[in-house]
Amino acid sequence: EGDRRFDMVVRLSDTLRTDIDGLSRLLIPVPALASNTSGQLGFIALSQVASLDLVLGPNQISRENGKRLVIVSANVRGRDIGSFVEEAEAAIATQVKVPAGYWTTWGGQFEQLKEASDRLRIVVPVALLLVFGLLFMMFNNLKDGLLVFTGIPFALTGGIMALWLRDIPLSISAGVGFIALSGVAVLNGLVMIAFIRNLREEGRSLSVAIHEGALTRLRPVLMTALVASLGFIPMALATGTGAEVQRPLATVVIGGIISSTLLTLLVLPALYQWAHRRDEEAA
């Protein structure tokens, strides 16, 4: 006779799961022997083909990439994940002896943080290059483009100071806030430098154009800064769901706008006069 395949599905109660003797007496159907002409199934006890014992063990065996995996979860509060992982890795290296063939990897939010950080290392330089390229195309002048571009470090200084004052760690949402902040900072400088250039084209001297341009553009620059900063105040004070993402972003934008506005109004006119003083002397 040809080979036959028999499948048996046994549903066990919780009581029977811990009864070793009862499990040992379970009957398993086996194919009929060649001498058995009736063709009926035979049965043997489970203890005849297996040894049963009750021991402690995992309720499941997880695998990833063909390798066994054990997951240890933890919640981090009151500090950033990056410094926690660094401290935990140092503690494991000094206090835990990992057997041969075992290794540890960090996943979850830390893995996402690492991937986002790698992307930001590409996105931030590309965004800054695009901003500078657009400034150069608008002014058709490298000098004026660099002057407006100085608003970005002015803004970054205020954003970092705001994070430090609120004791908020640098995170991915804060990095996104720095990118958004760069656009607002450039806009303030762009408004002022463009107006000063127009005054000079009308025939005014360098000092007069700078003085009149700074006073005339004071209100638009302050209005732009106030609208942007006041709009982020609810996010900066958020305490509900998603506050851990909203607060760093809003804090960076508010602090950066304040420093960028002050430095744009006070420092940028002086930088413009210093950069174009030779042009005035040559004229």
Side-chain angles (χ1 to χ4, degrees):
E1 296 181 2
D3 295 337
R4 297 180 182 178
R5 180 180 177 181
F6 297 91
D7 297 330
M8 179 180 66
V9 179
V10 179
R11 292 180 174 85
L12 304 176
S13 65
D14 293 338
T15 303
L16 185 58
R17 290 175 190 274
T18 58
D19 186 2
I20 302 300
D21 293 335
L23 290 174
S24 301
R25 293 192 297 269
L26 286 176
L27 298 179
I28 302 176
V30 295
L33 300 177
S35 59
N36 188 354
T37 57
S38 63
Q40 296 180 354
L41 292 177
F43 293 90
I44 61 175
L46 181 61
S47 58
Q48 294 182 253
V49 295
S51 298
L52 280 72
D53 194 8
L54 188 62
V55 297
L56 294 176
N59 57 358
Q60 69 176 22
I61 298 177
S62 302
R63 295 180 182 272
E64 184 176 349
N65 297 327
K67 300 178 179 62
R68 289 189 178 183
L69 172 70
V70 176
I71 299 176
V72 179
S73 302
N75 293 325
V76 179
R77 294 182 180 179
R79 60 184 301 182
D80 61 297
I81 298 178
S83 64
F84 169 79
V85 171
E86 291 181 0
E87 185 177 338
E89 286 180 340
I92 291 174
T94 55
Q95 303 176 18
V96 179
K97 184 178 180 181
V98 181
Y102 290 78
W103 65 91
T104 59
T105 57
W106 298 88
Q109 291 186 358
F110 177 74
E111 185 178 9
Q112 299 174 2
L113 173 66
K114 197 172 181 181
E115 293 175 354
S117 299
D118 294 338
R119 288 194 294 267
L120 282 179
R121 289 191 183 97
I122 300 174
V123 172
V124 171
V126 170
L128 294 178
L129 287 175
L130 288 175
V131 169
F132 182 74
L134 292 174
L135 290 174
F136 178 78
M137 292 173 60
M138 177 178 179
F139 291 117
N140 197 22
N141 187 320
L142 182 62
K143 187 184 297 184
D144 290 345
L146 287 174
L147 287 174
V148 176
F149 197 76
T150 56
I152 293 179
F154 294 163
L156 297 183
T157 302
I160 295 173
M161 287 295 297
L163 290 177
W164 177 73
L165 290 174
R166 297 197 64 190
D167 195 20
I168 297 177
L170 184 64
S171 60
I172 298 302
S173 58
V176 175
F178 281 119
I179 296 176
L181 182 60
S182 300
V184 179
V186 167
L187 178 61
N188 287 336
L190 183 62
V191 169
M192 180 170 292
I193 296 299
F195 190 75
I196 292 175
R197 283 169 57 95
N198 291 335
L199 293 177
R200 293 194 66 196
E201 291 175 357
E202 293 176 0
R204 290 177 174 83
S205 64
L206 178 62
S207 59
V208 173
I210 292 174
H211 184 266
E212 185 177 344
L215 292 178
T216 306
R217 296 292 94 184
L218 174 62
R219 183 178 296 177
V221 169
L222 288 178
M223 289 178 61
T224 303
L226 286 175
V227 169
S229 58
L230 292 177
F232 279 96
I233 287 179
M235 293 177 59
L237 302 177
T239 57
T241 304
E244 67 279 0
V245 176
Q246 298 176 12
R247 281 185 298 170
L249 190 152
T251 300
V252 165
V253 173
I254 293 173
I257 287 176
I258 294 174
S259 65
S260 173
T261 302
L262 294 176
L263 294 174
T264 297
L265 294 173
L266 300 175
V267 179
L268 187 58
L271 289 177
Y272 188 88
Q273 185 168 12
W274 176 80
H276 290 274
R277 69 185 186 281
R278 293 183 179 179
D279 298 341
E280 185 76 4
E281 294 173 357

